[in-house]
Amino acid sequence: MSKNITIIGLGLIGGSIALDLKKVGFAKQITGVDQSKEHENEALELGITDKIESLENAVMFADIVILATPVNVSIALLPKILDLINPNTVVMDVGSTKTSIIEAIKDHPKRKSFVPTHPMAGTEYSGPSAAFHGLFKDRVGIICNSEESSPTAVQLISELYFHLGSRLILMNAESHDEHVGYVSHLSHAISYALAVTVLEKEQNDAAIFNLAAGGFSSTARLAKSSVDMWLPIFEENSKYVLPILDLYLENLNKFKSYLENKDSQKLFDFIKTANAIKDKLQK
Amino acid sequence: MSKNITIIGLGLIGGSIALDLKKVGFAKQITGVDQSKEHENEALELGITDKIESLENAVMFADIVILATPVNVSIALLPKILDLINPNTVVMDVGSTKTSIIEAIKDHPKRKSFVPTHPMAGTEYSGPSAAFHGLFKDRVGIICNSEESSPTAVQLISELYFHLGSRLILMNAESHDEHVGYVSHLSHAISYALAVTVLEKEQNDAAIFNLAAGGFSSTARLAKSSVDMWLPIFEENSKYVLPILDLYLENLNKFKSYLENKDSQKLFDFIKTANAIKDKLQK
């Protein structure tokens, strides 16, 4: 049965969810809310949303509310949204960190109407114009601490992810934040540092950036990711990001000292160890 | 006029060059040489080479000899190859570092027959089966210190790069090694360290690697790159790789300390600075 869906935050993630859910008919109507008037108009023009409403109106008549704002904004908005919704409305978020948002509403009387989720997909681009069909297809979708939400709410959101084409995993929020700190947040941190470093060196020589072909551009790709989205992620997840950054720095220092000391054998072993990532990554 | 071309090293780069040059008819015949009998047979089967010869025979009757082995092997082989070639044969290499190979033959009587080059293309895969048509199309090709080679040799090699579809740049070897250290070698070093770090943490949890979608896999992609190719590159270019690694470590430590000290403004500025890489990278 198709649903009235409200999406708060009409960026890459919110917009792409809207496009997919409309296409498959899971959404009867998409109502959009965004901080930016410009984004709201753009989303209407792009067919991402059917209409724009105030937060209050958008939330009150929705079957599903999707919070797709930066994590700090979602944490601030969620209690207010839970206050406003009717008893049958289900709220989900899509943030990259999960413990802090769960903590923020843990004593809310409508806690069970909220399903914390994380679609593991994205690009380095942002805003409604970055949204596209199929972003979540065959990607992992995560629901955290499902036992704390009502079973019907969890079932509805699992159906939503099914329509996005995602492969759903249920996970504990702490474990989610820790693992995502390793595989996603660390990658972003080192990519930002790479961009800062190379820009420092190559200020006056734009041509050089094209030299490195696939190598540099794939490593530096994440450094394009929006600061508004990523600053809150790092801050919310610093508990896990900081220790993994330490371990990373330790390993990179090892690499450096092997190279410095011309210790070919150790350098060989280091790279060989890294090569094992081949077996862990798809394709 | 099509040429007899000998390729020493039938891997991703050597094999892809062969495929392209045969397709456009620039190569009359491709003769292959590889350390590995298995690679030689594979290259024959894949249509990469027309025949396999000993190094001596392969080199003696060639119009162009392409050295496509790891940089340390190329440095060791080049003097011997220059000894063997006839006066009209032109030799080019494709290594990622240029000063050391130039240094190795700077006093050779046939120095002018050698053109040091670097096609800025590749993937993380290796061996003849990794080779494909069009690898170099629209990528940058570099010729270093062209004034030290004979003009006809440089012209011939520029024609070869034209047939690969590359955009040719002439460059000083020192400057090449320095810039490539920034944009390519540093990217590989940080990707190896990322893989080592995450593998250390995620040994027992293969599923988690699929979580990070595009993010982790693009940053860790280079960590699949062959140790046989990359160990010599780091060692040959340590003069430039070590200082840029230092600067990188310094920047990543800054990032870490801003996060540790909850200095949102500095962290914001850092990420914002990194975002500027957008304007420098194509698409």
Side-chain angles (χ1 to χ4, degrees):
Chain A
M1 211 172 55
S2 66
K3 306 289 176 193
N4 283 318
I5 296 180
T6 288
I7 299 184
I8 302 169
L10 302 169
L12 166 69
I13 301 294
S16 299
I17 292 176
L19 291 173
D20 281 348
L21 296 184
K22 279 177 78 172
K23 195 174 183 183
V24 299
F26 184 74
K28 181 162 42 183
Q29 187 173 52
I30 304 265
T31 305
V33 181
D34 200 286
Q35 253 194 323
S36 144
K37 200 74 215 150
E38 200 186 320
H39 278 185
E40 289 185 337
N41 292 334
E42 216 177 324
L44 271 176
E45 278 163 32
L46 292 166
I48 288 172
T49 56
D50 300 304
K51 55 177 187 168
I52 298 292
E53 290 271 10
S54 68
L55 183 70
E56 288 68 19
N57 288 339
V59 159
M60 245 164 347
F61 302 101
D63 298 311
I64 302 174
V65 174
I66 300 175
L67 248 177
T69 52
V71 288
N72 58 328
V73 178
S74 295
I75 291 168
L77 284 180
L78 182 57
K80 187 174 167 189
I81 290 167
L82 289 179
D83 290 344
L84 289 167
I85 56 169
N86 73 54
N88 297 318
T89 303
V90 174
V91 182
M92 65 171 250
D93 80 321
V94 297
S96 284
T97 64
K98 302 263 65 86
T99 36
S100 46
I101 196 163
I102 291 171
E103 180 65 22
I105 47 80
K106 71 175 199 299
D107 299 322
H108 196 284
K110 293 193 196 134
R111 167 66 185 88
K112 284 181 171 301
S113 302
F114 173 59
V115 182
T117 86
H118 183 196
M120 300 289 303
T123 73
E124 64 275 31
Y125 303 104
S126 52
S129 61
F132 62 94
H133 277 298
L135 173 58
F136 309 102
K137 189 164 161 33
D138 298 328
R139 297 303 178 80
V140 173
I142 300 173
I143 291 181
C144 286
N145 298 9
S146 59
E147 69 285 0
E148 297 168 6
S149 308
S150 85
T152 52
V154 173
Q155 286 156 23
L156 183 63
I157 299 307
S158 75
E159 207 184 319
L160 185 152
Y161 270 94
F162 175 84
H163 288 296
L164 295 178
S166 300
R167 297 177 293 143
L168 195 65
I169 294 180
L170 303 191
M171 215 178 205
N172 167 272
E174 288 282 352
S175 169
H176 167 277
D177 286 5
E178 182 179 2
H179 290 301
V180 164
Y182 300 162
V183 290
S184 170
H185 306 172
L186 176 61
S187 291
H188 279 80
I190 70 175
S191 187
Y192 286 129
L194 173 65
V196 166
T197 304
V198 173
L199 285 166
E200 225 171 300
K201 282 298 198 179
E202 300 282 12
Q203 286 283 13
N204 305 310
D205 199 351
I208 213 74
F209 289 101
N210 296 323
L211 290 191
F216 180 68
S217 39
S218 88
T219 326
R221 183 175 70 84
L222 302 181
K224 302 176 187 173
S225 304
S226 132
V227 63
D228 298 324
M229 173 173 170
W230 278 92
L231 176 59
I233 291 176
F234 289 124
E235 294 187 326
E236 294 299 336
N237 208 30
S238 63
K239 171 180 163 194
Y240 292 114
V241 173
L242 284 171
I244 193 76
L245 256 178
D246 274 330
L247 184 62
Y248 178 78
L249 284 162
E250 203 181 290
N251 279 320
L252 193 58
N253 271 307
K254 270 186 205 164
F255 178 96
K256 194 194 117 193
S257 75
Y258 300 155
L259 186 59
E260 223 155 26
N261 304 325
K262 301 184 200 305
D263 192 336
S264 299
Q265 186 56 50
K266 288 226 170 91
L267 205 51
F268 181 93
D269 294 342
F270 188 97
I271 295 176
K272 202 73 193 162
T273 304
N275 282 166
I277 202 76
K278 256 187 235 182
D279 310 325
K280 304 284 185 176
L281 288 175
Q282 295 174 308
K283 155 78 178 137
Chain B
M1 212 172 55
S2 66
K3 305 291 177 191
N4 283 317
I5 296 181
T6 288
I7 299 184
I8 302 170
L10 301 169
L12 167 69
I13 301 294
S16 299
I17 292 176
L19 290 173
D20 282 348
L21 296 184
K22 280 177 76 172
K23 196 173 183 184
V24 299
F26 184 74
K28 183 163 40 184
Q29 187 173 51
I30 305 263
T31 305
V33 182
D34 200 287
Q35 254 194 323
S36 144
K37 200 73 214 150
E38 200 186 321
H39 279 185
E40 288 185 336
N41 291 334
E42 217 177 325
L44 271 177
E45 277 164 32
L46 293 166
I48 288 171
T49 57
D50 299 305
K51 56 177 187 167
I52 298 292
E53 290 271 11
S54 68
L55 183 70
E56 287 72 16
N57 288 340
V59 160
M60 246 164 344
F61 302 103
D63 298 313
I64 302 174
V65 175
I66 300 175
L67 248 176
T69 52
V71 288
N72 58 329
V73 178
S74 295
I75 291 168
L77 284 180
L78 182 57
K80 188 175 166 187
I81 290 166
L82 290 179
D83 291 344
L84 289 167
I85 55 169
N86 73 54
N88 296 320
T89 303
V90 174
V91 182
M92 67 171 250
D93 80 319
V94 298
S96 282
T97 65
K98 301 263 64 85
T99 36
S100 46
I101 196 163
I102 290 171
E103 179 65 21
I105 46 81
K106 72 173 196 302
D107 299 321
H108 195 285
K110 293 193 195 131
R111 166 68 185 87
K112 285 180 171 302
S113 302
F114 173 59
V115 182
T117 87
H118 183 196
M120 300 289 305
T123 73
E124 63 276 32
Y125 304 105
S126 52
S129 60
F132 63 93
H133 279 296
L135 173 58
F136 309 101
K137 191 165 158 29
D138 297 328
R139 297 303 176 81
V140 173
I142 300 172
I143 293 182
C144 286
N145 297 10
S146 59
E147 69 286 0
E148 298 169 6
S149 309
S150 83
T152 53
V154 173
Q155 286 156 24
L156 183 63
I157 299 307
S158 74
E159 209 184 316
L160 185 153
Y161 270 94
F162 176 84
H163 287 296
L164 295 178
S166 300
R167 298 177 293 144
L168 195 65
I169 294 180
L170 304 191
M171 215 176 206
N172 166 270
E174 287 283 352
S175 168
H176 168 276
D177 285 6
E178 183 179 1
H179 290 301
V180 164
Y182 300 161
V183 289
S184 169
H185 306 172
L186 175 62
S187 291
H188 279 81
I190 71 176
S191 187
Y192 286 128
L194 173 65
V196 166
T197 304
V198 173
L199 284 166
E200 225 173 300
K201 281 297 198 180
E202 299 283 11
Q203 285 285 9
N204 305 311
D205 200 349
I208 213 75
F209 289 101
N210 297 323
L211 290 191
F216 180 67
S217 39
S218 88
T219 325
R221 184 176 69 83
L222 301 182
K224 303 177 188 172
S225 303
S226 134
V227 63
D228 298 323
M229 175 173 168
W230 278 92
L231 177 58
I233 291 176
F234 289 124
E235 295 188 325
E236 295 300 336
N237 209 29
S238 63
K239 172 181 164 192
Y240 292 114
V241 173
L242 285 170
I244 193 76
L245 257 178
D246 274 328
L247 184 62
Y248 178 79
L249 284 161
E250 202 182 289
N251 279 320
L252 193 58
N253 271 308
K254 269 188 206 164
F255 178 96
K256 194 194 115 191
S257 75
Y258 300 154
L259 187 59
E260 223 155 25
N261 304 327
K262 303 185 198 303
D263 192 336
S264 299
Q265 186 55 50
K266 287 226 170 92
L267 206 51
F268 181 93
D269 294 342
F270 188 96
I271 294 176
K272 203 73 192 162
T273 304
N275 282 168
I277 202 76
K278 254 186 234 179
D279 310 323
K280 304 284 185 175
L281 287 175
Q282 297 173 305
K283 157 71 186 146

